[in-house]
Amino acid sequence: MQVGVAPEETVVLVGWRKRSDNYVLVRMKAEAILYASEGVGIGIIAKMVERAGRTVQEWLADWRATRMCSVLTGHAGNQNAAKPARAQKEELKPSSPSRPPRRASTPSSGTSQPCATS
């Protein structure tokens, strides 16, 4: 399964693959996409990144759908953290239950994040 990668994207993917401070999953996805862009088969890519072939196929499908955004995992912001423990929930409770919490203001400019994670 071959994917198209623009020269600018290749530069970024190679950089992500080489950086040791990036998250392992980002490096593996970048490597898999680079291999696929060169026509390497799914089975070989799966061996190289030590993942199942189905996982690699999903990464490549995500690449086709969202390009560079698909490589970023969302782990950096601790977005995949477990639910808070009971003690943490107690800390999160408002000190004055009679008053509703204030709403956070949202920008009205209509700008969106290019790689928003869910």
Side-chain angles (χ1 to χ4, degrees), residues 52-104:
R54 181 71 188 141
T55 300
V56 173
Q57 288 176 335
E58 290 173 6
W59 290 351
L60 299 179
D62 289 345
W63 171 259
R64 284 192 192 100
T66 61
R67 308 300 289 181
M68 298 300 281
C69 294
S70 70
V71 181
L72 304 175
T73 62
H75 295 271
N78 201 21
Q79 295 174 1
N80 293 336
K83 293 180 181 177
R86 183 173 292 177
Q88 291 171 320
K89 286 180 184 178
E90 292 299 322
E91 290 175 11
L92 295 174
K93 286 186 178 178
S95 59
S96 175
S98 62
R99 289 184 9 203
R102 294 186 319 164
R103 288 187 178 199

Side-chain angles (χ1 to χ4, degrees), residues 2-118:
Q2 191 160 355
V3 296
V5 178
E8 304 83 26
E9 293 170 325
T10 301
V11 170
V12 173
L13 290 170
V14 168
W16 283 349
R17 188 177 115 335
K18 288 183 176 181
R19 287 181 56 173
S20 61
D21 62 337
N22 269 341
Y23 293 90
V24 175
L25 189 56
V26 171
R27 289 195 308 261
M28 285 192 304
K29 285 181 177 183
E31 186 174 4
I33 292 164
L34 288 167
Y35 282 137
S37 73
E38 295 296 325
V40 177
I42 296 290
I44 295 170
I45 296 172
K47 284 181 189 176
M48 298 301 291
V49 297
E50 299 178 338
R51 291 293 184 264
R54 181 71 188 141
T55 300
V56 173
Q57 288 176 335
E58 290 173 6
W59 290 351
L60 299 179
D62 289 345
W63 171 259
R64 284 192 192 100
T66 61
R67 308 300 289 181
M68 298 300 281
C69 294
S70 70
V71 181
L72 304 175
T73 62
H75 295 271
N78 201 21
Q79 295 174 1
N80 293 336
K83 293 180 181 177
R86 183 173 292 177
Q88 291 171 320
K89 286 180 184 178
E90 292 299 322
E91 290 175 11
L92 295 174
K93 286 186 178 178
S95 59
S96 175
S98 62
R99 289 184 9 203
R102 294 186 319 164
R103 288 187 178 199
S105 62
T106 57
S108 60
S109 63
T111 59
S112 63
Q113 297 292 335
C115 292
T117 57
S118 53

